[in-house]
Amino acid sequence: MADMYTAQDPTTQYPRPPFPPQQQGAPGDIHKMDPAPDHGEKTYIGKGRLPGRKALITGADSGIGRAVAIAYAREGADVALSYLAAEQEQAEEVAELIRAEGRTAVLLPGDLQEESVNNEVVAKAVDELGGLDILVINAGTMPTVDSIDDFETKTLDAVVKTNIYPLFWLTKAASPHLKPGAAIITTSSVQGFDPSPSLAEYAVSKAGIANWTRATAQQLIERGIRVNGVAPGPIWTPLQPAFVPNEKIEEFGSQTPIGRAGQPVELAPAFVFLASQESSYIVGETIAVTGGMPVT
Ligand code: NAD
Ligand code: MG
C-alpha cells in the first residue's frame, strides 16, 4: 500500500472484486472487514491545509468519517467525533490517532435521531474545542428493501431521522458559532442521482442531501459560510456488510469504470479541499468521488 502522493495505477491501487462473503450487524465494525479498509492510518500525508481549524464530524468512528477525521488532524485541525455508543472502541482509536498528531480529540457518543442529541453534540464540540469552523454531516443508515410490497413506515422514518433531520438540527445549532470562512460539508451518494432498485428509501434521502446542500449554501453564503457536499460511489466501509447481501458484497465496486471499490482514504482529500480556504469560490457543489460513475 503506497502513500497518497506516489504515482501509480489507480485501477490496481486497492483491492478489486471479488471480495470474500461477509455480513455484519449495524452499525458495523471495521475490524471485522476482509480485506481491511484503508482510512489513511498509514497512507494519508498532511500538508498543513487546515491550520488550527476546529471540526465536528458525524459518523467519525469508521468508514468515510474516520478517514476525514484522520486527514483533518494531519492537516492541523482539532476534531470532535460523533458516533453511536456501540462504536466507542473504534472512536477511541480515531481519538488516539488525532492526539498522535498533537491535536485535540473530543468524543461525543449519541443517537442523532434525537434532536436534543444534535444540540448537545454541537454544544459540547464548541465548548471543548473552543469554537467551530467545520461541520461534516456524514452519519448515515442504508436499509435495503427489495420490493415496495415490503415497505414499512418505520424503515423510512429511521432513514429520514438519521440522514435528513440532522442536516437541519446540526446546522441550526452550529450556525451561530460559525464565522465567515467556516464550511459545512455533507455526504450524499451516487445513489441520490442514479438509484438502485432496492435502495429507494436510502436513495431518496441522498437526493435530499444534495438538494439541501444547494438550498442551504445559498442561505449561508450571505454569512460567509460555504456549504458543499461529496457524493461517494461504492466505498469499502462497514455500512456495506451491515446492510447489503453477500451476492452484492462479492462483486462490490465492479460496476464502476475504475473496476473496484473505493477506500475511505480516497474520499478524504475532497473533504479537506471543501473545508479549506482553497475552495473559496465553490458553493453549493457536490463533488463526485465515484470511480467514474456519472453524478449529474
Ligand atoms: P460507516 O458505517 O462507517 O459510517 C456511518 C456512520 O453513521 C456510523 O459509523 C455511525 O457512527 C453513524 N450513524 C448511523 N446511524 C446513526 C445515528 N442514528 N446516530 C448517530 N450516528 C449514526 O459507513 P460509511 O460508508 O463511511 O458512511 C458514511 C456516509 O457515507 C453515510 O452517509 C453513507 O450514506 C455515505 N455513503 C457511503 C457509501 C459507501 O459505499 N460506503 C456510498 C455513498 C455514500
Ligand atoms: Mg461506524
Side-chain angles (χ1 to χ4, degrees):
M1 197 183 295
D3 70 75
M4 62 188 289
Y5 288 109
T6 302
Q8 58 193 294
D9 183 347
T11 68
T12 52
Q13 186 171 349
Y14 284 108
R16 296 172 67 89
F19 289 104
Q22 54 201 291
Q23 298 281 269
Q24 293 192 31
D29 183 343
I30 59 164
H31 300 296
K32 293 183 183 155
M33 295 183 72
D34 177 20
D38 182 5
H39 313 91
E41 290 91 340
K42 295 194 171 69
T43 52
Y44 191 92
I45 298 171
K47 302 270 186 188
R49 294 163 70 189
L50 300 173
R53 302 293 179 83
K54 301 171 193 310
L56 168 60
I57 303 169
T58 70
D61 62 293
S62 59
I64 295 165
R66 183 182 181 107
V68 174
I70 293 168
Y72 279 9
R74 293 197 183 157
E75 299 292 355
D78 297 322
V79 187
L81 312 167
S82 156
Y83 54 92
L84 288 164
E87 303 173 309
Q88 185 67 27
E89 282 181 27
Q90 293 173 87
E92 283 176 12
E93 295 164 2
V94 181
E96 276 308 302
L97 289 162
I98 292 167
R99 290 175 189 135
E101 301 300 319
R103 309 309 314 179
T104 300
V106 179
L107 290 163
L108 302 169
D111 187 340
L112 295 172
Q113 293 184 74
E114 292 294 328
E115 182 172 8
S116 60
V117 173
N118 290 255
N119 294 332
E120 285 161 23
V121 159
V122 170
K124 285 184 190 160
V126 169
D127 191 40
E128 295 188 37
L129 295 176
L132 194 64
D133 308 298
I134 303 164
L135 172 61
V136 178
I137 307 174
N138 166 74
T141 190
M142 189 182 70
T144 52
V145 182
D146 287 335
S147 167
I148 190 70
D149 300 336
D150 299 322
F151 171 77
E152 291 191 281
T153 301
K154 67 179 183 194
T155 308
L156 185 60
D157 276 347
V159 169
V160 173
K161 274 283 163 69
T162 306
N163 297 3
I164 295 290
Y165 275 85
L167 298 168
F168 294 90
W169 289 331
L170 292 168
T171 301
K172 183 176 181 188
S175 59
H177 304 283
L178 299 174
K179 299 190 177 68
I184 298 175
I185 304 163
T186 61
T187 307
S188 63
S189 171
V190 68
Q191 289 291 331
F193 304 85
D194 184 14
S196 299
S198 59
L199 286 174
E201 292 84 349
Y202 175 78
V204 74
S205 80
K206 290 291 157 177
I209 292 171
N211 196 274
W212 180 93
T213 301
R214 288 185 178 174
T216 310
Q218 294 172 68
Q219 281 190 34
L220 291 186
I221 196 60
E222 292 178 6
R223 306 185 201 175
I225 301 164
R226 292 180 305 107
V227 183
N228 288 291
V230 175
I235 311 301
W236 189 238
T237 75
L239 195 73
Q240 299 299 338
F243 289 105
V244 172
N246 263 328
E247 60 267 23
K248 290 184 181 152
I249 292 293
E250 290 176 46
E251 290 310 308
F252 189 63
S254 61
Q255 75 274 36
T256 61
I258 201 170
R260 64 167 174 86
Q263 293 293 322
V265 68
E266 297 182 281
L267 276 294
F271 284 86
V272 169
F273 175 61
L274 292 175
S276 151
Q277 202 62 30
E278 296 164 348
S279 58
S280 53
Y281 203 61
I282 300 182
V283 175
E285 177 60 46
T286 290
I287 296 181
V289 185
T290 60
M293 296 174 81
V295 168
T296 50

